[in-house]
């Protein structure tokens, strides 16, 4: 099972000694922080299951050509993914998301799958990127996708389910915004904008990039990028799209003005992009999405259309979604804690393999980021460790283990101290474990008739030692320590854990 | 969030089209099989938590030198692990187990950790090996380790906890054997055996390899390997250890004869290896392990000492454990379904980094193998899919979604059909999803006063269609289909799922 290194274990002090170091950009996660992430994944996946999505686990490794050789906005192959040659000379890559492996899986098993195929998946993904604060090279995603349905109802389902999943993971209604838009609205807008003939592709890309920077630069920055260009703080100049004033104003209106009540949004959008082929297609989809979302049970509180949402331009083909965490800042205003999930319709991904288009839509929750953002926004309470049973007499380990087993059978996390330390170090260990209680039975307690245990409330003890100046007095009173008959161990521990001292 | 390939999606039929294929030796796992594995991991980790072990998740990638460059019984570096150079020219490897990363983590964070440090971990590991039937290059392990305690009580805890974890994962008591032994028993045995001077190391290795083959070759094969050597079916000859007859018989007795009641085992072992320094140390540890395990609450039903257990000779330094799944064959005899977990004491692993020894002991459950073995031994029942609501009228998606939401709020997995198919294909989809029920509301049902839904019991329908020869008669009777007022949808579905038709 455990496959060990086979070079003989080094005698201490001899031979090569590697430095123990975690590779850069990768995290060790432990204890309560890890438990919170696992709980979020479980809560999210339970929602996905309830909505009829089926679990899928593909391997971490895929053939590089199946993942796609190129990464967004980069011309170099294999940048951004960890890749290496297998011993049969084929290139393997660590997956960088859960969608590319899904496309491979669907294409490989197309005939056997129910269609549409709804699946969810949770697992780590890897990015071979420069690490930075809060940017890791391995993190968890928890995705749901519907492959094989072109219906806007499938997009609506994604939005509603993602809202329910975020709320199940602990994001209260009103603490997040689910924004959505439609890729073809932009196409309609671009069709409505006057563009210098011969430079259509280049100018359109500049317009899209300008729109995508609205969150960061505000409308002035976007306005500059739509017209003559913009110089940033560092002095770098970004060339503008060179739009006419009328066209630039149209785009600005699109970016800033279109949000609010469904009917109002649809009216405004019709004025802006209606009549263009792509615009009308988008409006029709959005109307359908609203209809399904608007049914009395489904409408998520926090769901808004916002035309400034622009995601993966080369990738998404229809509706696009983005969820961000918000919190009230000290000034009472809402502060964004950043994106915690997103997705959209991508009808072309499976076509890479099959030649024919397979409509698909999905949503991905960045669980690691979600949990970190929730912690930053709300803080966390330290979770209790296990009850620690001190081992004071070396020949009585069996008795201590019996105590632990009784407590565990009653549903209480419990462990026996296993080190070589004396009383003081054992209590220090219990503190380091964040133990709520320590169980003490030395010869004094054991020899009483009937035998007793001392149960030390470590939290209460710490609290009281803060407030009581006279240490001597506190020790005498021993208010945070209770003597109980050995036979009452479990009942007394449960009472103390419930916060009752008597 | 989802990072897409950036090369423009190919127009169908154009350009390079990769073949959709899973890399060899790797699995896609889905639906109920995956759910069983996840449930096993959750059950096992809940036991570990209850025993006071803390969760740890280290990254999938480690520096190759930190993992150890060599693999067991192989002289070539990096065989068996997936490895590649990072962009700073350092070699990264995918972890091949969860123990080597633990050793790195402990060495890196030694001073901050409580000691002993009990941790559990669950995750995939990767082996760059030739794949074969049931042998995969990625599989899950679920480990618990105690680092920093040399006490035999820590080994006893591992054994007892592993038994509880296996039982929590669905292995009934009596359906597995937890065998354990001690590395130093062998050292004691080797000290008691007469060996030609000058060839000690070589002969001892041959004796150990012979013992390790007992399960596969039986006592005759081992006997041959202890004496002159053995030729196998393929004609290959393995040189023997060349022991004297007295010594060979001693080893044979050790391999075959030593199991049974604790006191009896200890007596026999004392006769075989007592008096040697290593043998006495092992006997002392085993006595202590028995004492803790023997305490009235802890003793696992299925735990036996068996001296033939020989694991990772270069790696383990004390107690060794191995769990195997057993089932009654058709002839009433117990059949082994192979190893489902194992571990032992390894006091040298952290020393690779720190120079000084850090005592450690652990147990690893091969979850993927465990679940596969349980399925092979016991078979599995097909799990129900979600309730499927047919979508018969295109403009009523919101109503269908409302039905699904009502069912989900009542705890019933439910989904709306989202494809473009008509009635027949929709029912086929529901069958493919293994749906227990299909909800049908077309215009006929909707226009009744009050409106109704038809609820079709797909399982019952399938059962009955097997037994009813006359299809016409069955269709008329429609025994597996119930009409209910729309307002009674949830109550009727819950009743039908509970197996009651009225």
């Amino acid at each position: 099972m455990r496959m060990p290194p086979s070079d003989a274990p080094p005698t201490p002090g001899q031979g090569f000694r590697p430095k123990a170091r975690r590779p850069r950009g990768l995290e060790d996660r432990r204890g309560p922080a890890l438990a919170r992430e696992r709980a979020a994944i479980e809560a999210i996946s339970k929602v996905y299951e309830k909505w009829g999505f089926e679990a899928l686990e593909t391997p971490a490794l895929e053939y590089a050509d199946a993942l796609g050789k190129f990464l967004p906005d980069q011309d170099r192959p294999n940048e951004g993914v960890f890749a290496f040659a297998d011993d049969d000379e084929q290139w393997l890559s660590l997956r960088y998301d859960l969608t590319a492996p899904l496309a491979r899986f669907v294409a490989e098993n197309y005939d056997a799958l129910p269609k549409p195929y709804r699946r969810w998946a949770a697992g780590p993904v890897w990015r071979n990127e420069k690490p930075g604060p809060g940017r890791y090279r391995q993190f968890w995603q928890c995705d749901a996708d519907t492959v094989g349905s072109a219906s806007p109802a499938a997009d609506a389902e994604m939005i509603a389910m993602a809202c329910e999943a975020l709320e199940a993971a602990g994001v209260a209604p009103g603490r997040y915004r689910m924004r959505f838009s439609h890729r073809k609205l932009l196409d309609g807008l671009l069709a409505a904008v006057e563009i210098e003939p011969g430079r259509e592709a280049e100018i359109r890309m500049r317009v899209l990039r300008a729109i995508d920077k609205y969150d960061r630069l505000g409308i002035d920055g976007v306005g500059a990028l739509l017209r003559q260009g913009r110089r940033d703080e560092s002095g770098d100049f970004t060339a503008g799209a060179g739009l006419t004033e009328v066209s630039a104003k149209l785009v600005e209106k699109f970016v800033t003005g279109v949000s609010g009540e469904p009917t109002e949004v649809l009216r405004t959008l019709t004025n802006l992009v209606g009549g263009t082929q792509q615009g009308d297609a988008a409006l029709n989809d959005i109307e359908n999405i609203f209809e399904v979302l608007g049914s009395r049970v489904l409408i998520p509180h926090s769901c808004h259309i916002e035309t400034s949402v622009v995601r993966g331009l080369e990738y998404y083909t229809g509706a696009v979604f983005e969820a961000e965490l918000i919190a009230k800042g000290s000034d009472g205003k809402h502060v964004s804690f950043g994106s915690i999930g997103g997705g959209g319709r991508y009808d072309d991904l499976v076509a890479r393999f099959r030649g024919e288009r397979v409509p698909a839509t999905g949503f991905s929750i960045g669980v690691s980021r979600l949990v970190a953002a929730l912690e930053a926004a709300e803080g966390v309470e330290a979770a209790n460790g296990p009850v620690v049973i001190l081992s004071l007499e070396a020949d009585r380990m069996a008795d201590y283990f019996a105590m632990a087993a009784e407590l565990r059978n009653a549903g209480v996390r419990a462990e026996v101290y296993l080190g070589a330390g004396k009383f003081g170090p054992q209590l220090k260990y219990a503190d380091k474990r964040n133990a709520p209680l320590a169980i003490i039975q030395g010869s004094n307690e054991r020899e009483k008739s009937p035998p007793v245990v001392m149960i030390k409330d470590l939290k209460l003890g710490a609290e009281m030692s803060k407030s009581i100046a006279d240490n001597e007095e506190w020790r005498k009173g021993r208010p945070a320590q209770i003597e109980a008959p050995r036979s009452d161990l479990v009942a007394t521990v449960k009472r103390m854990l419930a916060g009752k001292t008597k």
Side-chain angles (χ1 to χ4, degrees), chain A:
Chain A
M1 230 15 62
R2 297 148 84 91
M3 190 189 251
S6 81
D7 44 346
T11 314
Q14 272 189 345
F16 170 67
R17 199 188 294 169
K19 191 166 156 39
R21 66 215 194 285
R22 191 179 62 244
R24 68 205 168 85
L26 294 167
E27 272 184 305
D28 294 321
R29 323 203 58 212
R30 55 183 284 221
L34 180 57
R36 281 190 294 275
E37 185 171 308
R38 293 267 162 93
I41 291 165
E42 206 184 309
I44 292 166
S45 54
K46 274 197 179 136
V47 170
Y48 292 163
E49 283 277 333
K50 219 163 126 190
W51 286 66
F53 286 66
E54 187 189 275
L56 173 69
E57 184 183 277
T58 58
L61 296 166
E62 295 278 351
Y63 285 123
D65 64 355
L67 282 190
K69 281 188 189 174
F70 293 87
L71 283 172
D73 307 325
Q74 295 180 9
D75 294 328
R76 287 165 300 177
N78 287 322
E79 274 287 325
V81 299
F82 292 105
F84 52 96
D86 201 0
D87 50 17
D88 61 358
E89 304 299 315
Q90 303 202 63
W91 280 87
L92 291 172
S93 294
L94 279 168
R95 64 183 178 207
Y96 56 82
D97 74 359
L98 300 174
T99 321
L102 170 65
R104 188 272 303 158
F105 175 81
V106 168
E108 194 173 358
N109 300 281
Y110 195 76
D111 292 331
L113 291 176
K115 275 165 284 287
Y117 172 57
R118 288 178 172 102
R119 87 88 179 78
W120 71 268
V125 301
W126 292 266
R127 304 274 168 92
N128 192 1
E129 291 172 349
K130 207 179 151 180
R135 283 173 65 88
Y136 296 102
R137 305 205 291 174
Q138 172 180 332
F139 53 90
W140 277 65
Q141 291 189 330
C142 198
D143 283 22
D145 292 82
T146 299
V147 182
S149 171
S151 166
D155 300 310
E157 179 173 81
M158 276 299 149
I159 295 172
M161 183 172 68
C163 290
E164 190 175 317
L166 289 174
E167 292 178 16
V171 188
R175 296 297 316 282
Y176 67 96
R177 278 193 305 185
M178 175 69 72
R179 309 184 303 156
F180 75 100
S181 184
H182 197 290
R183 175 71 180 81
K184 287 179 184 161
L185 283 180
L186 286 169
D187 295 327
L189 180 73
L190 293 175
V193 158
E194 295 169 281
I195 293 181
E196 187 184 326
R199 291 183 59 206
E200 284 86 353
E202 180 199 345
I203 298 295
R204 281 178 186 151
M205 189 48 74
R206 287 188 186 179
V207 172
L208 290 170
R209 289 211 177 111
I211 294 171
D212 196 27
K213 287 182 181 145
Y214 175 57
D215 273 357
R216 197 156 56 80
L217 302 182
I219 195 58
D220 291 345
V222 173
L225 289 171
L226 291 173
R227 296 177 176 87
Q228 74 284 4
R230 178 176 177 277
R231 190 172 301 282
D232 67 16
E233 297 77 36
S234 74
D236 285 348
F237 184 76
T238 308
L243 295 191
T244 64
E245 195 53 29
V246 171
S247 290
K249 283 211 146 54
L250 193 69
V251 176
E252 285 174 344
K253 170 79 185 148
F254 181 86
V255 173
T256 56
V258 189
S259 65
E261 284 302 300
T263 45
E264 192 192 321
V265 168
L266 281 170
R267 201 178 321 114
T268 315
L269 286 176
T270 305
N271 289 338
L272 283 172
V273 304
T276 66
Q277 190 200 334
Q278 299 282 63
D280 286 342
L283 288 167
N284 186 49
D285 280 358
I286 291 172
E287 213 166 342
N288 276 302
I289 290 173
F290 272 132
E291 200 190 308
V292 172
L293 287 181
S295 70
R296 68 191 178 290
V297 228
L298 267 190
I299 192 164
H301 326 266
S302 312
C303 185
H304 309 279
I305 189 158
E306 273 186 37
T307 45
S308 59
V309 175
V310 178
R311 297 175 58 87
L313 288 173
E314 306 283 335
Y315 182 71
Y316 291 109
T317 55
V320 285
F321 330 120
E322 181 142 337
E324 68 179 336
L325 189 70
I326 48 175
K328 258 195 185 139
S330 49
D331 57 356
K333 279 187 188 161
H334 279 117
V335 182
S336 171
F337 276 78
S339 170
I340 49 176
R345 176 165 287 285
Y346 54 100
D347 288 346
D348 291 319
L349 199 61
V350 180
R352 293 187 62 240
F353 300 103
R354 291 183 53 83
E356 59 182 316
R357 274 192 146 194
V358 178
T361 185
F363 195 89
S364 173
I365 296 179
V367 189
S368 310
R369 195 187 287 189
L370 166 66
V371 172
L374 273 178
E375 285 170 10
E378 307 188 344
V380 284
E381 270 186 47
N384 266 346
V387 169
V388 171
I389 296 146
L390 306 197
S391 58
L392 300 171
E393 298 176 285
D395 57 347
R396 292 189 48 245
M397 293 306 288
D399 294 337
Y400 301 135
F401 272 89
M403 292 182 195
E406 284 172 38
L407 288 168
R408 283 194 292 261
N409 288 342
V412 177
R413 283 185 77 196
E415 59 168 58
V416 178
Y417 177 78
L418 281 184
K422 292 205 164 59
F423 189 77
Q426 296 200 25
L427 272 188
K428 264 194 195 138
Y429 169 85
D431 274 334
K432 216 163 188 177
R433 294 288 285 121
N434 208 20
L437 305 173
I439 313 291
I440 301 160
Q441 194 192 53
S443 56
N444 286 344
E445 290 79 14
R446 180 171 48 82
E447 283 162 5
K448 284 203 179 175
S449 177
V452 298
V453 287
M454 298 295 291
I455 308 176
K456 202 173 164 63
D457 187 329
L458 300 171
K459 299 290 159 89
L460 187 58
E463 278 304 305
M464 297 191 84
S465 67
K466 277 186 218 157
S467 58
I468 298 177
D470 186 352
N471 207 8
E472 194 57 39
E473 180 197 339
W474 173 72
R475 276 200 192 157
K476 255 195 207 152
R478 288 190 158 182
Q481 191 159 303
I482 284 175
E483 185 181 294
R486 167 66 181 84
S487 53
D488 287 353
L489 169 69
V490 171
T492 313
V493 162
K494 292 197 90 164
R495 211 162 53 232
M496 290 175 78
L497 287 177
K500 304 180 188 96
T501 43
K502 290 289 156 196

